[in-house]
Amino acid sequence: MALTLLLSTANAAPTLRLSQPDGARLERWLDRLLVVGGVLYVAAHPDDENTRLLAYLSNRSLLRTGYLSVTRGDGGQNLIGSELGPGLGLIRTQELLAARGLDGAEQLFTRARDFGYSKSPEESLRIWGHDALLADVVLAIRRLRPDVIITRFPLEADTHGQHTASSRLAVEAFTRAADPSYMPDAEHRRLGPWKARRVVWNESGFFGKTDAQLAALPHLDVGGYDPWLGLSYPELAADSRSNHRSQGFGAPRRRGPTPEAFHPLAGEPMKGSPLDGVVTDWSRVPGSARLVAELKRARQAFRTATPEASIPALLAARAELRRMPEHPWKEAKLAELDAAVLACAGLFGDVIADRTSSSPGGSVTATTTVLLRRPARVTLTSARLGTRSLLGPSELKAGVPVEAKTSLEVPADARLSNPAWLEAPEPGLYPVRDPAWVGLHEEPAPLEAELTFAFGSESITLRRPVAYKWTDPVLGERYRRLEVLPRVTVDASSGMLLFPDASPRPLDVTVRSVRGASGTVALELPAGFSAQPASASFAIAAGGESTIRFTIAPPRTAARGTLRAVATVDGQRFDRGLRRIDHAHIPIQTWLPPATVQLTRVDVAHAKRRIGYLSGPGDDVPDALRQAGYEVTPLSVADLREGGLSRFDAVVFGIRAFNVEPQLQALHGKLMDYVASGGTVLVQYVTSNFIAKAPPNLGPFPFTIGQGRVTDETAAVEADGNPVLAGPNRIGPDDWAGWVQERGLYFAESWDPRYATPLSMHDPGEQPLKGSVLVARSGKGAFVYTGLSFFRQLPAGVPGAFRLFANLVDTGG
């Protein structure tokens, strides 16, 4: 796994192809072989990491550097698409891997689910499960074996509860990792205890310290220039951080002195820097003198134009390292040595399938290619996939490819292409069945070949996923793992069906098969709902699909539940769908979610029907509104600027629309004229923070947006007698049931007295917040600002959210 990671991220391309490091990076790989030691950086989410420090430690100090992101960021929002929840977690995982491919650090995770904003570490640890998460953080420490653990956040602060929880876990895990009696499972027992030297907090001005106060703390200046990279570490860090595209975290390159300050949290004291007292060479390993001599000989022999000259000494070092007794760095350094040898030889290996997908029992034709690109004495001793040979033994010659095509049967027990952490999600954790896979960024590919090379008496095995390769006319060559899919997948046309009255609604169910299949498909329904037909037959050719239309009849009264679509083939049940996430900056991701549909029967009355909607990023609200009976017309900034608005009963803006479309501010006058003439303008939340500021004018009267939010989705809501809550749907306590993740965020903080604030709510132990909804009459119409998270509630089919949203739209003349 470590060797595959080293070779596949050498130039950080969003691909699975084997990447050759350039001469400068390869030279630094040889330097790193002489360095022993590591640092683990710990924080809560993707994009929390300090890429400046990671870049410095990995490339200047040449330490084994890791970033442990406690979550995959699946509870956040998405600036580049509509994926939320697990889909967003898949994107942000790959963005982290692209970032690490640039800054040179490794990426680790726990099983924690990002359940959304938390206001206390106690809540975070309770929802995650303290003991399970502690075991995961200890596992990361025992795997990486750092000398120093660095947290991004303090133990106490007015910040996201998951932030401070990550630091508390790091401090507690520091002690537990060194405890030989703390062995929760076999993977911990295999790794054994590890004692780091200290835990420190990477302190910053964000938490109130002045530059002078920070300068008095132990520190590192990470602003140096790296001649091998042709970049300073802050420049490299900016490129790394800019991979977090789903969060809009493009960063400018910075140059010059960049001090990083540190505060001790646990372990040995420090004076000048967190690396005080850390020995970073092989002198910490008894009996390593001959190894060091060979590593130095390899470094002295290295020339950019003839990297193969270093191979004999590298092989001698490898043999010496294998002979040495077990020690904490042996496995990692063997992987580094193997990567260096293969890179010095310019070895390329690929196993490419002739199709994107197959299924257990199916077949693919795979083309295996091996190419030696430097003059070195290398023999391919075997190329195998399980017990199947892909290539016979062959003495390799520089510049002469060895290639063969093989027909392969996908084993009947092959693992499906579903991320291991998404097999059976729980409220606080993503369970992973195989303990060896806990914390890995990705599980091994379903089909993985082993290419074994002999360099004299030394044998090196390179694992390569069976992949599919194609040429995108815009992006160039792209790779993706060969998908192993169920015999059939089942997908409904919508993830939510709303019944605003007792009328039946259609639902299309599409069955697909890679190999071809015949069987029946039926719907498992919650109480009160019925479907016609009860089941339907299908027969699909290989690579084909069949769509069956069901008609779902709801009960006459309010009801909610989950429908599951199930196909039966030869007596076997299939109830997984197929999702592919395709963004140009990451490899295509495959996910097999349960084939479920949220059914919601609730009366939703509204007088207004025609909505013009300018979507925000990741916005599925328009489709939900159509199910409630609205005619929704998508709008662009140009449509608003050039077209008339009188054809709409209301104009609605999606979340963060005013953050990502700065031209909207120039249309404020036109929008307020529309309100005055009888229309309704409804603005969903706008962020106001150090990343994106809210525009100064949104409504007819002044108001400001703050950081107020209510994260407890069950928080009590108090309502006044404002007419907006009385009709056309009377909003009562039942309408606040079943909300997901949160009540809302980015509430208004202050407002002109001409705004009504009909709702009040708060998280436990906090003061009431009244800024979740602002309503103002202006002329014949009305303006509404709301921080309530309708963008989550409406696509999830939350009944009361539809009823309240309808009232807000109906507010105008």
Side-chain angles (χ1 to χ4, degrees), residues 454-488:
F455 293 80
S457 61
E458 293 297 304
S459 179
I460 297 176
T461 296
L462 173 64
R463 290 181 173 83
R464 295 294 292 143
V466 178
Y468 177 76
K469 179 175 69 175
W470 78 105
T471 302
D472 184 290
V474 175
L475 302 173
E477 185 177 78
R478 298 185 71 187
Y479 277 57
R480 58 189 288 190
R481 286 180 172 186
L482 173 71
E483 293 176 332
V484 177
L485 303 178
R487 188 168 178 186
V488 297

Side-chain angles (χ1 to χ4, degrees), residues 320-343:
E320 181 61 27
L321 180 58
R322 286 194 302 106
R323 281 193 292 267
M324 290 173 64
E326 290 300 318
H327 59 77
W329 301 278
K330 185 173 183 177
E331 183 179 355
K333 286 300 180 182
L334 273 172
E336 288 181 24
L337 265 169
D338 288 355
V341 170
L342 295 177

